[in-house]
Amino acid sequence: MPRYERTYTTQANFILHGGDYNPDQWLDRPDILQADLELMKLSHINTLTVGVFAWSALEPEEGVYRFEWLDKVFDDIYSIGGRVILATPSGARPAWLSKKYPEVLRVNAERVRQLHGGRHNHCFTSSVYREKTQHINRLLAERYGDHPALLMWHVSNEYGGECHCNLCQEAFREWLKKKYNHDLDALNAAWWTSFWSHTYTDWAQIESPSPIGEHTIHGLNLDWKRFVTDQTISFFENEIVPLRELTPHIPITTNFMADTHDLIPFQGLDYSKFAKHLDVISWDAYPAWHNDWESTADLAMKVGFINDLYRSLKQQPFLLMECTPSLVNWHKVNKAKRPGMHFLSSMQMIAHGSDSILYFQWRKSRGSFEKFHGAVVDHDNRTDNRVFQEVTKVGKMLKKMSGIVGTSRPAEVAILYDWENNWALNDVQGFAAETKRYPQTLVQHYRAFWEHDIPVDVITKEHDFSRYRLLIAPMLYLVSEELIARLKEFVANGGTLVMTYISGIVDEHDLAYLTGWHQDLREMFGMEPIETDTLYPNDRNSVHYRGRSYELKDYATVIKVQTATIEGVYEEDFYANTPAVTSNQYGKGQAYYIGGRLEDQFHRDFYQVLMEKLNLRPILFVKHGKGVSVQARQAPECDYVFIMNFTEEKQTVVLEEKVKNLFTDKEIGGEIILDKYEVLVVEKKREIHSNNKSIK
């Protein structure tokens, strides 16, 4: 059943608009700090993130504190009706701390200790750094916990990276002892260390993976990545002890990331584990709009995928913690957003579940690494430039959209994403180094639903599968017996499952299943993968499916059918005319297997069949062409529908029913012309059923 309840992730009943503010860089310029307040009011800013990298301004010497400037910032922001997201400063420590306590400096995989500098370069195991971060956080919570401007805690900044120091080596060994119940034989068996005579006979022999040492044991590599996630979370939990103790009513977040070129989830940490420790998910979105390797619509689709993943982690609205109102300074080419793109990209975030549009940064730094990173306020302080005016437009429109805060995006379709699976796939010595592309493959399956305006949750293996009608699990290479059992239960109870090539091959230790495909998978799918053919980049094959041929590249699975129905066959090579796509009735449900990597048109046609079979429908029927996306958020009383033109041409859309334009409050319907990058946000009243009668 649809789930229309609201979830307020902060105390605010408005969409947050603002972003990173660094007054600590301008303490010698009170005139600029005063001007900031007026500019914030002009641009309809209501929320500022303060203190992200302010440790040296707060504690210039050990035990010497300077909070007066931050007191004034809090009071000034509150005086203009604003709220503060207060950051803890652990993301970049002061130089005095590195000098006095060198153990806080990371050691890299080559076992070289790093010098002071940069950020995200501290040891998460160091007891000194844990003590120092918790202490400064306690002082912040004591001083600002009851300030009426405080809206949320932003803990550290973009956690990532790993440390290989002796402290981390000992912590890793203790982590392994706990995982394997102090049984070294169990560890050796799980890691298959008899290969190349790498058996461990003492826990002290175990080291983290290193290019100058052991890096060929896949079980070791996988467990190290799991440890890095757990140790990062442990550091985070240590940071927030005083925040939970002194301000239990203030929600806590930290900003997640995405790798930018292909726009895939950040791979350094398993966010499915980290999410459980946060009150609110937030992330920093920096897509390379207007690039020369993909269309605007294709990039928008990838943004939608990441949004739906991070929203689905907690099944509630998320926050866009950082974006640029114009450009960044760290892409290979730092191209500015074209007119209209900032508003369009902001609306896409709201459409997919964000309750904020927050920027990095409010004001450009005058010097150093980020002095040319985009900002609301440029070096010249002008308000008549395009960027400031577009930010102001966003702020004005967000005020009209407060009813969207806390609303949901119920979905009947889910795509299964697994960080550990991707780690294992990237590590495997097999298939092809450049074409495994697990996250990108999931986006390929996501495309059909994005183009048909069907809501999708991108979930992880910890989620409840039973709330979905269709579950898609491409390239699920690493799958435990427990997960196989849950998938089997899902199908038996009436669910539809789609799986693909390179799935069900190894268990959670990255050990191959010895009986061929797992018996439960064979029963569920009514077939068995016999062989995987890996193609060179220029190799091509094709699959015949429902009267049409579709191009195949990269991978093809040779299939032995048992009870399955053959839906498509290969057309070339030694497996020509053998099964390529199958379906199988299992219990009350259906299991589909796609044996090869096929072109986008196959996915469009294949999933179109399933959409019709399962009666999957968009929230609002809008007839439109390619490149227009229609996404919705649902409140108990109405639906908010975003109709977005991600193309460089005008697009005609047709609304099949009358709705209210949220920006003009006028009723609209029928044929509408959208300009390049234009967005239409409409409110559709929901029919409410009472006493078996439909009323509006």
Side-chain angles (χ1 to χ4, degrees):
M1 293 294 292
R3 305 174 295 279
Y4 301 132
E5 68 277 4
R6 291 180 186 267
T7 302
Y8 290 97
T9 55
T10 74
Q11 296 173 348
N13 59 358
F14 51 86
I15 296 176
L16 311 184
H17 185 229
D20 277 30
Y21 181 38
N22 301 297
D24 44 298
Q25 296 180 15
W26 302 95
L27 295 181
D28 62 342
R29 291 296 303 271
D31 57 320
I32 286 180
L33 296 181
Q34 183 60 40
D36 280 336
L37 299 177
E38 297 303 316
L39 295 173
M40 289 170 188
K41 289 189 287 186
L42 281 175
S43 54
H44 302 278
I45 296 299
N46 58 41
T47 305
L48 283 307
T49 303
V50 179
V52 177
F53 299 119
W55 198 334
S56 61
L58 294 169
E59 190 179 5
E61 302 175 43
E62 186 174 21
V64 176
Y65 302 104
R66 298 284 186 265
F67 290 110
E68 296 78 9
W69 66 269
L70 188 54
D71 295 345
K72 187 174 189 311
V73 169
F74 258 84
D75 292 342
D76 286 347
I77 291 174
Y78 191 64
S79 73
I80 62 170
R83 306 296 294 274
V84 172
I85 298 175
L86 182 57
T88 66
S90 68
R93 66 190 170 277
W96 62 259
L97 203 159
S98 300
K99 183 69 173 179
K100 186 171 183 179
Y101 306 101
E103 75 164 47
V104 307
L105 297 167
R106 278 186 186 168
V107 172
N108 66 19
E110 289 80 10
R111 306 310 194 251
V112 176
R113 189 173 294 278
Q114 305 301 285
L115 300 176
H116 175 80
R119 54 186 180 134
H120 313 308
N121 57 359
H122 41 273
C123 172
F124 288 135
T125 304
S126 165
S127 59
V128 169
Y129 203 55
R130 289 183 175 222
E131 177 187 342
K132 290 296 183 183
T133 54
Q134 193 178 103
H135 180 68
I136 190 72
N137 293 357
R138 180 171 294 278
L139 295 178
L140 291 171
E142 289 173 343
R143 194 172 188 99
Y144 304 107
D146 293 326
H147 197 289
L150 182 62
L151 181 66
M152 175 180 286
W153 289 106
H154 178 316
V155 179
S156 196
N157 182 69
E158 296 181 336
Y159 283 105
E162 55 190 46
C163 178
H164 298 259
C165 73
N166 291 334
L167 296 172
C168 290
Q169 301 296 342
E170 283 302 315
F172 181 43
R173 294 177 192 121
E174 291 303 313
W175 184 92
L176 291 170
K177 289 176 184 178
K178 183 177 180 181
K179 178 181 174 78
Y180 292 100
N181 297 313
H182 290 261
D183 186 344
L184 195 55
D185 290 338
L187 178 144
N188 280 311
W191 290 2
W192 205 251
T193 55
S194 56
F195 180 76
W196 284 357
S197 191
H198 286 178
T199 301
Y200 295 104
T201 57
D202 191 289
W203 293 99
Q205 297 165 359
I206 299 173
E207 291 264 357
S208 61
S210 172
I212 63 170
E214 183 57 82
H215 61 276
T216 61
I217 297 177
H218 290 173
L220 163 64
N221 298 342
L222 188 56
D223 273 346
W224 171 253
K225 289 182 179 297
R226 289 165 171 156
F227 163 77
V228 169
T229 291
D230 287 352
Q231 197 71 349
T232 304
I233 292 171
S234 172
F235 181 84
F236 166 85
E237 284 290 332
N238 181 80
E239 278 204 73
I240 68 172
V241 166
L243 313 185
R244 292 289 191 210
E245 175 190 335
L246 299 172
T247 60
H249 57 295
I250 302 296
I252 292 173
T253 190
T254 191
N255 43 344
F256 287 175
M257 296 178 283
D259 294 337
T260 55
H261 185 276
D262 267 344
L263 206 67
I264 62 174
F266 177 65
Q267 295 305 303
L269 298 171
D270 185 343
Y271 283 162
S272 69
K273 290 183 177 179
F274 211 145
K276 299 173 185 176
H277 300 262
L278 302 177
D279 298 319
V280 187
I281 301 296
S282 65
W283 80 285
D284 299 347
Y286 293 105
W289 295 112
H290 322 294
N291 65 64
D292 60 1
W293 61 84
E294 63 193 333
S295 70
T296 301
D298 281 345
L299 179 53
M301 177 190 61
K302 294 177 182 179
V303 176
F305 178 87
I306 302 291
N307 281 332
D308 287 341
L309 170 61
Y310 290 164
R311 173 183 51 78
S312 299
L313 285 174
K314 294 188 79 70
Q315 296 289 332
Q316 66 183 31
F318 63 92
L319 297 180
L320 174 62
M321 186 57 70
E322 292 183 19
C323 71
T324 177
S326 54
L327 46 73
V328 299
N329 70 323
W330 44 269
H331 285 171
K332 289 183 178 179
V333 176
N334 297 297
K335 189 170 186 175
K337 287 179 176 176
R338 270 31 199 170
M341 177 50 71
H342 177 56
F343 187 76
L344 172 61
S345 59
S346 297
M347 292 301 103
Q348 184 191 22
M349 290 291 169
I350 304 297
H352 282 265
S354 178
D355 278 352
S356 73
I357 301 296
L358 301 172
Y359 309 114
F360 185 85
Q361 50 192 330
W362 163 254
R363 174 182 288 278
K364 280 186 178 179
S365 301
R366 188 177 184 188
S368 204
F369 185 77
E370 290 173 331
K371 63 179 175 289
F372 295 124
H373 192 294
V376 179
V377 180
D378 212 325
H379 296 130
D380 60 9
N381 290 308
R382 294 176 68 103
T383 62
D384 58 354
N385 60 69
R386 179 173 64 87
V387 172
F388 192 91
Q389 291 301 313
E390 292 198 0
V391 167
T392 300
K393 177 184 176 181
V394 170
K396 286 180 179 178
M397 293 301 104
L398 290 180
K399 286 186 174 181
K400 297 176 177 288
M401 300 167 67
S402 59
I404 293 176
V405 175
T407 56
S408 60
R409 273 177 56 85
E412 296 180 297
V413 179
I415 295 178
L416 182 61
Y417 181 83
D418 184 16
W419 271 269
E420 293 186 349
N421 179 66
N422 195 40
W423 292 338
L425 256 178
N426 286 341
D427 203 27
V428 70
Q429 300 300 298
F431 310 114
E434 300 298 325
T435 62
K436 284 177 280 192
R437 296 175 62 82
Y438 168 67
Q440 295 88 340
T441 301
L442 269 63
V443 173
Q444 188 183 22
H445 288 257
Y446 176 86
R447 175 190 297 276
F449 301 94
W450 190 83
E451 291 180 345
H452 281 85
D453 310 324
I454 305 296
V456 174
D457 282 353
V458 183
I459 64 172
T460 61
K461 57 182 178 288
E462 293 82 9
H463 283 91
D464 176 13
F465 302 155
S466 66
R467 65 196 301 175
Y468 304 101
R469 301 180 66 194
L470 173 61
L471 176 60
I472 304 165
M475 296 185 72
L476 197 58
Y477 164 79
L478 181 147
V479 56
S480 67
E481 290 199 341
E482 186 271 337
L483 180 54
I484 290 173
R486 290 179 56 218
L487 293 172
K488 185 178 180 181
E489 180 184 23
F490 169 75
V491 177
N493 290 336
T496 298
L497 174 65
V498 178
M499 193 173 273
T500 74
Y501 52 92
I502 313 182
S503 290
I505 297 176
V506 300
D507 66 10
E508 66 272 25
H509 300 296
D510 206 357
L511 294 176
Y513 284 108
L514 294 180
T515 56
W517 224 32
H518 194 284
Q519 178 63 32
D520 284 350
L521 292 175
R522 285 183 294 192
E523 290 179 9
M524 189 178 5
F525 287 90
M527 46 72 66
E528 183 176 7
I530 301 300
E531 182 179 0
T532 300
D533 188 19
T534 301
L535 282 62
Y536 280 98
N538 291 328
D539 288 339
R540 292 293 184 273
N541 199 332
S542 57
V543 167
H544 188 267
Y545 170 79
R546 290 184 170 244
R548 179 172 175 175
S549 291
Y550 299 90
E551 184 181 68
L552 178 148
K553 62 179 182 178
D554 299 338
Y555 300 105
T557 308
V558 180
I559 294 171
K560 179 182 178 181
V561 165
Q562 295 156 350
T563 61
T565 298
I566 300 172
E567 303 282 354
V569 297
Y570 297 109
E571 294 189 306
E572 298 180 30
D573 224 310
F574 68 89
Y575 38 89
N577 299 315
T578 67
V581 182
T582 64
S583 65
N584 189 60
Q585 183 74 34
Y586 181 77
K588 299 177 182 178
Q590 196 87 6
Y592 292 84
Y593 187 88
I594 302 172
R597 179 170 286 168
L598 291 156
E599 62 175 292
D600 289 333
Q601 191 57 49
F602 169 81
H603 294 100
R604 292 185 180 102
D605 295 343
F606 174 80
Y607 286 117
Q608 179 68 43
V609 173
L610 294 187
M611 290 177 205
E612 293 173 0
K613 181 178 180 180
L614 299 174
N615 195 32
L616 301 172
R617 296 288 183 265
I619 303 303
L620 175 67
F621 284 98
V622 179
K623 184 178 179 181
H624 60 79
K626 187 176 180 180
V628 173
S629 176
V630 181
Q631 303 293 330
R633 293 179 65 170
Q634 298 187 273
E637 66 282 353
C638 68
D639 301 324
Y640 296 98
V641 184
F642 296 70
I643 307 167
M644 299 169 282
N645 179 13
F646 288 103
T647 76
E648 282 66 36
E649 297 83 29
K650 291 184 177 182
Q651 296 286 336
T652 300
V653 301
V654 180
L655 281 63
E656 296 189 0
E657 56 185 288
K658 295 288 187 180
V659 291
K660 186 179 80 171
N661 185 327
L662 202 63
F663 298 147
T664 65
D665 289 329
K666 294 180 180 179
E667 190 177 70
I668 58 173
E671 186 174 293
I672 296 173
I673 305 297
L674 292 180
D675 284 333
K676 167 184 176 179
Y677 302 155
E678 187 177 358
V679 184
L680 190 63
V681 183
V682 302
E683 181 183 301
K684 172 192 171 187
K685 293 295 183 182
R686 184 177 299 108
E687 292 186 352
I688 303 173
H689 295 272
S690 177
N691 297 325
N692 297 320
K693 293 182 179 180
S694 179
I695 59 175
K696 293 187 178 180

